[in-house]
Amino acid sequence: MEEKYMHILSQFPIAGNPVSCQRYGQGHINETYLVVTDCAHRYILQRINDHIFKDVAGLMANIVLVTEYLRRIVDDPRETMTVIHTHEGKPYYCYSAGYYRLYDFVEGSLCLQAAETEEDFYQSAVGFGRFQQLLRDFPAHQLTEPIANFHNTIDRYRIFKEVLDRDPMGRAKDVRQEIDFVLSREEEAGQLHRMRMDGTLPLRVTHNDTKLNNVLLDEQTRKALCVIDLDTIMPGLSLYDFGDSIRFGAATAAEDEKDLSKVGMSLELFRTYTRGFLSACPGLTDAEVAHLPLGAKTMTLECGVRFLTDYLDGDHYFAVHREGHNLDRARTQFKLVQDMEEKWEQMQAVVREERAHSS
Ligand code: ADP
Ligand code: GN1
Ligand code: MG
């Protein structure tokens, strides 16, 4: 085991002596390592991505507040992550300009990259819905915003237009159609944010990265066990979490699929997720429930705007693995939005039916 990791791990009170520390998992943001000790204890060590997250202390304070709150109200300790503090009592350790944190490994769990069955997708809805429900009385104002204006769609449009005006790569002329798609939906895209500002939709504690691989399933029962990847926890709308799950999980093709004829939103999966989310989170207000379809559409449009902005700007934010990667991603998001517009009445009917079913 590398000296560096021995040193970092020696800062934390752990069970036994570490015998291995190896890269682990398939996250895109942090460097994740699995640590095993000589008494068979396992931990997750992560180097926090401080390019994306500038305020590591604020981010870790959020995670500590939320996980300690959850610990007091859940039955099984595996239902929440556990942050291990250093001998000095800090929730992370800074070494050679890197920030490291240590979590207990959630034993007996399963992390899926894609749903193998519809039930897996249902369970992710239960996981994120329950997370929302458990945190309903948590004072959201205690949390900082690790990334300012993260789901402020109005601000995402402002940045888009600013980059479009500069057009630093000269790419705008080739993507007129996509640009027009975005601009023609500006008014509607701001609706969610305006409803946050005027109090129509309540402020909640939100996760903001509600992909399937951020909820661990119980290996034995295959039911939702623990929500992980808490870096983007902040005050927000429940519809961000619901919407981002639909954007990613109810799509019939990958986020970067080039063949747009394969891309659509499955109404069946939309129903599955809605059912799971409503059953696990009965505390949603009528306004929140009524706007679930708008949450899905806004999060998808916003993500497409972010991909297109990054494409115009020269691909600085999202990692790209081929030419035009961000443009391909933007196009799938716009195709999904279009499909949702065509299925709008049906999406609303699904929500009404599932609401009736859950109450
Ligand atoms: P990223 O922000 O890079 O996506 P994550 O925090 O999601 O990083 O962690 C990456 C992967 O590590 C997860 O997808 C999961 O497989 C695994 N993982 C993270 N934390 C735990 C944990 N406490 N117990 C078990 N596995 C974990
Ligand atoms: C980023 O790293 P990943 O893939 O979990 C992004 C999300 C986007 C997503 C699109 C901090 O998440 O907001 O929805 O890409 N995370 C951040 O795939 O910007
Ligand atoms: Mg993750």
Side-chain angles (χ1 to χ4, degrees):
M1 217 176 102
E2 254 183 76
E3 185 80 10
K4 171 180 159 186
Y5 296 110
M6 285 302 278
H7 171 76
I8 294 167
L9 289 166
S10 74
Q11 306 302 313
F12 295 90
I14 61 177
N17 300 303
V19 288
S20 72
C21 176
Q22 285 172 341
R23 280 302 282 267
Y24 185 77
Q26 296 187 38
H28 293 130
I29 298 282
N30 300 298
E31 262 175 46
T32 302
Y33 300 86
L34 173 66
V35 175
V36 183
T37 74
D38 56 5
C39 59
H41 250 81
R42 302 203 289 176
Y43 297 91
I44 289 283
L45 176 72
Q46 279 184 328
R47 180 178 177 173
I48 303 167
N49 185 327
D50 59 334
H51 289 291
I52 291 189
F53 301 109
K54 308 283 183 212
D55 176 16
V56 171
L59 172 153
M60 287 309 296
N62 280 356
I63 298 181
V64 168
L65 280 170
V66 166
T67 53
E68 285 183 352
Y69 181 91
L70 288 175
R71 174 149 325 285
R72 290 198 292 272
I73 53 178
V74 296
D75 303 325
D76 181 342
R78 296 180 310 152
E79 286 173 45
T80 176
M81 301 248 282
T82 305
V83 178
I84 301 180
H85 287 69
T86 64
H87 294 297
E88 287 182 352
K90 286 185 71 179
Y92 60 91
Y93 177 63
C94 183
Y95 178 74
S96 171
Y99 295 90
Y100 295 84
R101 66 181 165 210
L102 193 70
Y103 291 120
D104 265 334
F105 188 90
V106 178
E107 295 293 348
S109 65
L110 209 58
C111 176
L112 300 178
Q113 300 309 318
E116 287 165 18
T117 62
E118 213 166 302
E119 175 66 16
D120 291 338
F121 190 47
Y122 178 85
Q123 286 303 324
S124 75
V126 170
F128 289 121
R130 188 165 65 207
F131 186 77
Q132 183 66 240
Q133 181 73 12
L134 288 172
L135 291 170
R136 69 191 177 282
D137 294 326
F138 183 95
H141 62 84
Q142 285 187 3
L143 301 177
T144 59
E145 281 197 330
I147 300 179
N149 289 315
F150 195 61
H151 282 315
N152 177 348
T153 316
I154 297 176
D155 200 59
R156 295 288 185 186
Y157 263 76
R158 180 189 64 73
I159 298 167
F160 169 72
K161 288 195 283 189
E162 187 266 314
V163 173
L164 178 60
D165 273 352
R166 279 194 295 116
D167 192 19
M169 311 299 289
R171 289 176 171 174
K173 61 182 182 327
D174 303 323
V175 291
R176 276 300 358 150
Q177 213 180 322
E178 287 75 12
I179 293 169
D180 290 345
F181 187 95
V182 169
L183 294 178
S184 64
R185 285 161 178 79
E186 180 165 9
E187 168 64 23
E188 204 187 332
Q191 221 175 314
L192 216 56
H193 189 69
R194 284 192 294 274
M195 285 194 279
R196 172 174 169 172
M197 291 297 115
D198 71 16
T200 308
L201 297 170
L203 203 61
R204 306 277 191 189
V205 176
T206 49
H207 181 281
N208 297 302
D209 191 3
T210 49
K211 292 196 238 176
L212 188 80
N213 65 4
N214 284 333
V215 53
L216 302 178
L217 304 184
D218 186 307
E219 206 170 46
Q220 299 283 318
T221 62
R222 226 181 157 93
K223 296 211 181 310
L225 179 63
C226 179
V227 168
I228 61 167
D229 204 346
L230 307 178
D231 293 327
T232 47
I233 285 192
M234 57 186 123
L237 300 179
S238 58
L239 304 185
Y240 300 159
D241 283 358
F242 176 86
D244 203 41
S245 288
I246 298 300
R247 175 192 81 72
F248 194 79
T252 54
E255 192 177 71
D256 58 358
E257 174 61 56
K258 283 171 90 75
D259 179 355
L260 292 180
S261 69
K262 292 186 182 154
V263 181
M265 191 217 50
S266 155
L267 262 178
E268 206 182 328
L269 290 176
F270 179 73
R271 183 184 292 279
T272 301
Y273 196 92
T274 304
R275 181 173 296 172
F277 200 77
L278 289 180
S279 75
C281 190
L284 294 180
T285 64
D286 289 343
E288 286 174 296
V289 175
H291 290 106
L292 289 174
L294 185 69
K297 188 176 157 186
T298 309
M299 287 300 99
T300 311
L301 180 57
E302 180 190 281
C303 196
V305 170
R306 292 173 65 196
F307 287 141
L308 188 60
T309 304
D310 203 33
Y311 175 72
L312 292 174
D313 202 24
D315 308 308
H316 298 304
Y317 188 94
F318 297 104
V320 287
H321 308 297
R322 58 175 191 246
E323 198 153 317
H325 207 167
N326 271 320
L327 178 59
D328 293 338
R329 291 173 175 144
R331 285 179 170 149
T332 61
Q333 303 308 292
F334 300 149
K335 177 72 193 295
L336 280 171
V337 169
Q338 204 180 341
D339 199 35
M340 290 180 195
E341 287 171 351
E342 279 158 26
K343 293 174 175 158
W344 199 241
E345 304 298 321
Q346 289 148 288
M347 287 171 80
Q348 287 182 312
V350 165
V351 169
R352 277 194 305 274
E353 286 156 21
E354 292 307 324
R355 170 66 142 185
H357 182 264
S358 73
S359 52

